[in-house]
Amino acid sequence: QTAGMEPAIQGRMEGAEETALLRKMDAYWRAANYLSVGQIYLMKNPLLRRPLKRDDIKPRLLGHWGTTPGLNFIYVHLNRVIKEHDLSMIYLAGPGHGGPGVVANAYLEGTYSEVYHEISQSERGMQRLFKQFSFPGGIPSHAAPETPGSINEGGELGYVLTHAFGAVFDNPELIAAAVIGDGEAETGPLATSWHSNKFLNPVHDGAVLPILHLNGYKIAGPTVLARLPHHELRSLLEGYGYKPYFVEGVEPLATHRLMASVLDVVIAEITGIQQKARAEGFKTRPMWPMIVLRSPKGWTGPKVVDSVQIEGTFRAHQVPMADMDKPEHIRILERWMKSYQPEKLFDQKGSLRPELAELAPKGDRRMSANPNANGGQLLRDLQLPDFYDYAVKVLRPGAAQVSATTVQGQFIRDVLRLNEERKNFRVFSPDETASNRWSAVFEVTERCSTAEILPSDYKVSPDGRVMEVLSEHMCQGWLEGYLLTGRHGFFSCYEAFIHIVDSMFNQHAKWLEATRHIPWRKPVASLNYLLTSHVWRQDHNGFSHQDPGFIDVVANKRSEVIRIYLPPDANTLLSVTDHCLRSRNYVNVIVAGKQLAPQWLDMDAAVKHCTLGIGIWDWASNDKGFEPDVVMACAGDVPTMETLAAVDLMRLNFPDLKIRMVNVVDLMRLQPASEHPHGMTDKNFDVLFTKDKPVIFAFHGYPMLIHKLTYRRANHSNIHVRGYKERGTTTTPFDMVVLNDLDRFHLVMDVIDRVPKLGSRAAYVKQALLRKLIDHKRYIREHGEDMPEVRNWKWSGEKFGD
Amino acid sequence: QTAGMEPAIQGRMEGAEETALLRKMDAYWRAANYLSVGQIYLMKNPLLRRPLKRDDIKPRLLGHWGTTPGLNFIYVHLNRVIKEHDLSMIYLAGPGHGGPGVVANAYLEGTYSEVYHEISQSERGMQRLFKQFSFPGGIPSHAAPETPGSINEGGELGYVLTHAFGAVFDNPELIAAAVIGDGEAETGPLATSWHSNKFLNPVHDGAVLPILHLNGYKIAGPTVLARLPHHELRSLLEGYGYKPYFVEGVEPLATHRLMASVLDVVIAEITGIQQKARAEGFKTRPMWPMIVLRSPKGWTGPKVVDSVQIEGTFRAHQVPMADMDKPEHIRILERWMKSYQPEKLFDQKGSLRPELAELAPKGDRRMSANPNANGGQLLRDLQLPDFYDYAVKVLRPGAAQVSATTVQGQFIRDVLRLNEERKNFRVFSPDETASNRWSAVFEVTERCSTAEILPSDYKVSPDGRVMEVLSEHMCQGWLEGYLLTGRHGFFSCYEAFIHIVDSMFNQHAKWLEATRHIPWRKPVASLNYLLTSHVWRQDHNGFSHQDPGFIDVVANKRSEVIRIYLPPDANTLLSVTDHCLRSRNYVNVIVAGKQLAPQWLDMDAAVKHCTLGIGIWDWASNDKGFEPDVVMACAGDVPTMETLAAVDLMRLNFPDLKIRMVNVVDLMRLQPASEHPHGMTDKNFDVLFTKDKPVIFAFHGYPMLIHKLTYRRANHSNIHVRGYKERGTTTTPFDMVVLNDLDRFHLVMDVIDRVPKLGSRAAYVKQALLRKLIDHKRYIREHGEDMPEVRNWKWSGEKFGD
Ligand SMILES: Cc1ncc(C[n+]2csc(CCOP(=O)(O)OP(=O)(O)O)c2C)c(N)n1
Ligand SMILES: Cc1ncc(C[n+]2csc(CCOP(=O)(O)OP(=O)(O)O)c2C)c(N)n1
Ligand SMILES: [Mg+2]
Ligand SMILES: [Mg+2]
């Protein structure tokens, strides 16, 4: 059974004094279990002072018991080593559905009552603690933001290890204990995140202690890892680069003894690795210790209910015994709770007995009060360079040909440089930093790797601050862990593949939404995305790489926490980037191209434009002092270029047409003010877009998003949107817009179709445009690149500022 | 270097005859490499009959070289064993960006010319082959649907192994060779999908041969697996349950020899495992063999360009040498291509020389022509029971209290039963089959597992047809592989967590979109989702489990391939399920609750309602023969119930209000006919929803989706939608709708606010409703469950059919 134990470990924790300590720890564990069961079942009679009645029990039983005793078991053991070695540790419950356990422990160590005064350390407080759990007006069932000490909700399973690693990067004193459910371990994100150890440098990073919790089951089925032969499991974990210690048991005292012994060894190893690395510098990636805890699901719970086995089976997963109208079930519950001997755990008042309370660490050392789990407390502003210093000279609109993200990369480089000492900023990408044109960052740092490095590698080092791994999940999870512990970061990603983390984004946005209503949670740095290699410029790739829909997912989340920016050129991108890096508690999504593209605004104009978020480009409009005949609106770099090219064509062909050109940087400006803090009032919207003139809107993403944002506006029925309509393949840049009717020629035709005054005199132009599109098709099929007049098109309008 | 080789293997393939064969195979490999380079670079002069000129070379160089020689190397070796053992094998290129290689091989074995006549086996055909690649009007850069033999595009990386396993389940003769990029191996989905072997039964499933391709790099950085010490990599793969064979080399002939020897062993082992299992029955999970191929990235490509090393580095990833305006680069390209000795590979006409062509398998044995890779060819209709047999008796609307998915589960059970012999139907779920109330399936089958099974397990067997693993990615990937090889399936999932596979859904939808334009690809069975445990009934869980946004992601894909159904009760769910199981080439999303809920329609009415997709419920309307004062529309089970409860309240309070109740099952009916094949004409829409009356729309999902679908309709500005607005926690079912203003009381208030004729006489009712909501809040906070009048509400309308 204890196949993984070495003799040296088995010899520890064996004296009489140790046994006494272990017995106290067992009592503490029982207290946590007692409080967990109480939360799931009771609303009255918390200390069972009188016989349990139906009426004491909640009418709806909600929560998860199965995982909880294991979580509690681990918690008390970690407490011991924290105290003994004065460690800074946080606790991440992978199976966050074990919320009752995490809450119970926060309550036992006093933190809970400190942040929620109502839930005091008394019988009354305990009653409230029980009642509030999964109860209307109470708290959620998981290790949610409401839970002190939590940075991992654990509702959507799979992220505990990547969160833990994110938390300890650049956090040398911190140990993140990460309990991994054996079901959770089957998820893709978890399965790959074991490899995070190839990115952890003990010299300046903290440590993660993975604790794989093999309770054998998930909701209903057995788990993969619990059913591996022992040697295979060991082989797998060693293959992942860990040194596994196995703790297996059913009988409490023996298992406590084993766990304590193993933890002593594990902590010694972690400290040893760190001391060595910090004394001698980084040499090679160490084998970090980890623990495999094999214990019954629903440990210490009812063994049999209604003649079926509960403890040790999947049936213990949720509420192990329902239908509390059966008196027999009430008796089982009472016996179960009394088996923990509450009278020995809590005093007359209902507080944890002092000899048990002293087992918990004090102050900030309590895992539920560790400031790393409320990272806003630790957050320091980034040192930011002046983004004006990176401005692209734009003497006239369309003059310069610049890759916007290349310029942004120079700014990011200097953010890295300026915060090098504080070590509180990293960039994350699925192997796309260079591809996304942030290569400038490699002037000051490298890709991070603590694995073997070869001469043929470029810019790879164990001290690198560029976190590259081909896993969008790991990038996202690391960054979340890094942010939630009070640091800053940026995630750059191909636009299409950011959908891989849709659900992780959802969970993080929900976390942020929830924290807005929790006064003791301090604001953390925003999660910043650069989405590039976007739908319109997928040159090496094709249809599979074309999906601008992430912003649709984002727009479904509550407006208080989300921001979407579509800067049309490099200077606007710089301004937006600076803004995002200063913001707090948001998810900022920036979509910008990496290819060479014309530049429109000088820095002064860019800043003003970004600050307003939306505006008329007067140099591209000719309706000043008039009513416009048409509003040419656009959002996104390629649509902006096509719109300007269309305006250019119209100037030539319809010199007396009054055109207003409106560009949108901050997409949320389009929403009503009632819907989003950035939203425009109807008045302002109507002034800009008119109440009755045709609006031709060239949009970066799926057209519906614009309708969704504007459907309440007076002029909505005149807003005609062009965007991605899921047509694409590997083709030329201009052909991509043509395939989706977003090109300059279609835009002009849209105007012809919608502006009555152009009437039939425009028929010749329209026909010429249609012919142009035929030329285009023929040309690209022959030459493989766009027609020179398209490729070399330049804005011909008057000089900037004129 | 060849640490993984056993002496017995090293001894094989050593005679003179073998050497001659290996040399021929090398030539075949060179031919594939030549054609790959040609596709990336050339548009003319395919056989280099005259000196290469700038003009022969494409102006835009697009594609990926680095992975390609490895893919080609593997391909020719698989060809040998296919021929030798008459195997049925398909080839899945994980790094599908190696499209040139997969296309080259399909061309070499003749399939390509068979399906694309223009691309003949001649100099002219070769020129077209080259030019079309990543070229406007040509083909995509990846192993896309356009590529014969492909079932894995490999654009979004990570799915090759799960696709491969899906392909071989219930496919005993098939071997799926799955090449895994070492970068790809870092993705979460790939990392977990190694464990698919715990679900594969050699008695009735085929085999997967994983080939981990360690070329050391991804786009720019080194890969994790390539930098593991040998023993760690071995340990990892053994821990995953495989027996790895290592093939490492640079020198072609030696590496061919090694690869051939290893493949002989590997195929013998696979056959051995299968024969034993099929003779003796399933005993224990075998250790399946796999191959680790360590070869240089960009193998055989230019070693150095512009003084930097290319071969063997990340620089070989895409186009290893650009800027072909440099004459020196043209010379390098020419030398490179000539190094393959094209004159020895192709005859005067430009066809592969017969002595090489004979190396390829013939007919359906060609991997590019294996019918499993065009699964529609193999597809047989499911045997479906008559769904009327499962009908819930609904004597009057609202009478029965039934769990809809439980009933659906009974139908699915019998689909499993009826197709047990054909073995062409499986269900997939992340450990939620029972939770989602499909437990009836366990009357006829079990959860599938070839791992250890314990007495405490319930319904687990190596022959089970319920594929449960706690990985939405694996469920999705397996199902895709299963469908694309010509079978049928169903994926049941918690609604919120289906977002985990947003991007996989995107890719599959794109695949289906593309195949619609490829005549030789035969239609496959639709991918069916049941989304349940939905946003409105997350009793044990909370905010993190509440997200109805998957259908928004779905609605962004092209309408030809997507269908979204929101059946309001069990009978409609049955009808929709039957429909989905008969359909082809779609993604069908069904959203339905699992909790006990009132039933509205008897089967006859349900079928008619589902067939029309949308309709007036006359028994809940009183406007027959009149203009309605208000249209109460709804989609989704909970919104339908709230709407009916609101109608109930209004009947009582406003007896002369003319109400029309409209229910939507098929969401796409709301779209204009021009936008979706199921879309309604404006005329029909206007008849149903009126042109000017207020419409109160109670919707299951985010309200914007309804606006998005209806914004073009005449009456859009009167459509007022209630739905999920991202408010939630662990609370009572009714409180969830209250939090989001979707409850019956809010709906009535919405009517009061919008129907002028109710005017101020409705003020008393409104005030009573507001008070009711206060009662509600107080009641649930005290009792933890909903008020009896809400909990026990029943439709009080006339008898059904009256
Ligand atoms: C990604 C994801 N899929 C599905 C679920 C539904 N779910 C909740 S708990 C659970 C089983 C968890 O098993 P395990 O990780 O072993 O936790 P434990 O046994 O400790 O409860 C599942 C599948 C989920 N929470 N997250
Ligand atoms: C999920 C995903 N993220 C990012 C990319 C962008 N990308 C394309 S190729 C590639 C590197 C692939 O490396 P590897 O799997 O080792 O393939 P190979 O070296 O054989 O080309 C990356 C990151 C992608 N295609 N898919
Ligand atoms: Mg478990
Ligand atoms: Mg690679």
Side-chain angles (χ1 to χ4, degrees), chain B residues 17 28 49 102 120 274 327 340 348 458 519 585 601-602 610 659 670 674:
Chain B
E17 201 183 319
Y28 197 97
R49 295 212 205 257
V102 192
S120 57
Q274 291 180 335
Y340 298 123
Q348 203 44 36
Y458 180 72
N585 267 358
L601 304 186
D602 69 15
C610 291
I659 303 169
L670 295 177
S674 57

Side-chain angles (χ1 to χ4, degrees), chain B residues 436-724:
Chain B
N436 293 337
R437 305 288 194 269
W438 275 13
S439 301
V441 300
F442 297 120
E443 296 165 23
V444 300
T445 187
E446 300 86 19
R447 294 178 177 86
C448 175
S449 169
T450 50
E452 194 191 359
I453 296 174
L454 298 181
S456 48
D457 294 348
Y458 180 72
K459 297 289 181 180
V460 183
S461 134
D463 297 311
R465 308 188 64 72
V466 177
M467 306 304 290
E468 279 199 348
V469 62
L470 211 177
S471 166
E472 286 76 5
H473 293 112
M474 244 196 278
C475 291
Q476 173 84 18
W478 283 345
L479 176 53
E480 289 175 2
Y482 201 67
L483 297 176
L484 291 175
T485 47
R487 282 80 64 69
H488 305 260
F490 227 115
F491 183 172
S492 91
C493 191
Y494 289 1
E495 181 187 48
F497 298 151
I498 195 70
H499 270 301
I500 291 172
V501 297
D502 277 3
S503 60
M504 294 184 78
F505 153 78
N506 277 342
Q507 298 300 330
H508 188 70
K510 281 172 179 280
W511 180 281
L512 294 178
E513 288 170 14
T515 60
R516 295 176 59 85
H517 311 291
I518 305 171
W520 57 268
R521 285 245 175 225
K522 298 290 166 250
V524 296
S526 300
L527 198 164
N528 301 310
Y529 293 103
L530 166 68
L531 305 186
T532 184
S533 306
H534 63 49
V535 52
W536 303 111
R537 296 303 304 276
Q538 265 310 326
D539 304 0
H540 283 269
N541 304 299
F543 197 34
S544 60
H545 288 54
Q546 293 159 352
D547 190 311
F550 182 67
I551 54 180
D552 293 87
V553 174
V554 171
N556 270 342
K557 289 289 155 279
R558 286 196 70 81
S559 54
E560 295 88 358
V561 300
I562 59 131
R563 299 289 181 270
I564 301 170
Y565 299 100
L566 295 148
D569 67 1
N571 287 337
T572 47
L573 177 58
L574 281 171
S575 170
V576 163
T577 303
D578 178 78
H579 181 76
C580 292
L581 284 172
R582 296 175 191 276
S583 74
R584 298 287 179 267
N585 267 358
Y586 297 153
V587 176
N588 295 308
V589 184
I590 307 175
V591 187
K594 68 183 188 184
Q595 309 288 357
L596 289 182
Q599 301 299 305
W600 310 113
L601 304 186
D602 69 15
M603 189 49 98
D604 185 54
V607 170
K608 284 172 186 149
H609 185 47
C610 291
T611 307
L612 298 177
I614 187 169
I616 301 177
W617 284 8
D618 17 17
W619 50 269
S621 309
N622 64 357
D623 67 324
K624 211 166 180 172
F626 301 87
E627 280 277 291
D629 297 312
V630 63
V631 178
M632 300 299 290
C634 51
D637 49 12
V638 167
T640 299
M641 179 173 76
E642 290 307 315
T643 297
L644 287 167
V647 169
D648 226 11
L649 283 167
M650 291 191 285
R651 283 194 183 180
L652 262 175
N653 289 289
F654 314 121
D656 52 357
L657 189 72
K658 295 292 169 215
I659 303 169
R660 171 176 299 180
M661 194 279 197
V662 173
N663 183 269
V664 185
V665 182
D666 176 349
L667 204 61
M668 294 298 118
R669 295 290 282 148
L670 295 177
Q671 282 210 309
S674 57
E675 293 288 312
H676 193 283
H678 287 196
M680 294 179 94
T681 61
D682 279 333
K683 205 170 220 159
N684 286 333
F685 190 94
D686 294 348
V687 165
L688 212 51
F689 289 98
T690 79
K691 279 192 160 180
D692 51 5
K693 295 291 178 296
V695 178
I696 309 296
F697 201 126
F699 180 50
H700 173 86
Y702 293 102
M704 287 297 183
L705 183 51
I706 297 300
H707 291 298
K708 173 165 155 165
L709 298 172
T710 60
Y711 78 92
R712 287 211 177 95
R713 304 297 192 174
N715 199 23
H716 176 251
S717 59
N718 288 314
I719 301 183
H720 178 72
V721 188
R722 294 294 184 182
Y724 187 60

Side-chain angles (χ1 to χ4, degrees), chain A residues 67 97 155 157 181-184 215 217-218 297, chain B residues 432 472 497:
Chain A
T67 194
H97 48 274
L157 295 162
D182 49 354
E184 177 179 27
N215 58 17
Y217 290 95
K218 30 198 197 250
K297 191 147 186 174
Chain B
E432 297 161 358
E472 286 76 5
F497 298 151

Side-chain angles (χ1 to χ4, degrees), chain A residues 197 200-202 241-243 269 273-274 277 282-289 450, chain B residues 232:
Chain A
N197 56 8
L200 183 108
N201 185 335
Y242 297 86
K243 189 168 162 191
E269 283 191 17
I273 290 170
Q274 291 181 333
F282 179 80
K283 295 279 157 57
T284 63
R285 169 172 59 86
M287 297 288 278
W288 292 94
T450 51
Chain B
E232 241 173 84

Side-chain angles (χ1 to χ4, degrees), chain B residues 52 179 253 269 284 303 335 414 475 573 598 623 628 694 735 799:
Chain B
L52 197 61
V179 185
L253 198 68
E269 283 191 15
T284 62
K303 303 228 171 327
R335 274 201 305 278
D414 293 338
C475 291
L573 177 58
D623 67 324
D735 196 42
K799 253 197 162 188

Side-chain angles (χ1 to χ4, degrees), chain A residues 432 472 497, chain B residues 67 97 155 157 181-184 215 217-218 297:
Chain A
E432 297 161 358
E472 287 75 5
F497 299 152
Chain B
T67 194
H97 49 274
L157 294 162
D182 49 354
E184 177 179 28
N215 59 16
Y217 290 96
K218 31 198 198 248
K297 192 148 185 172

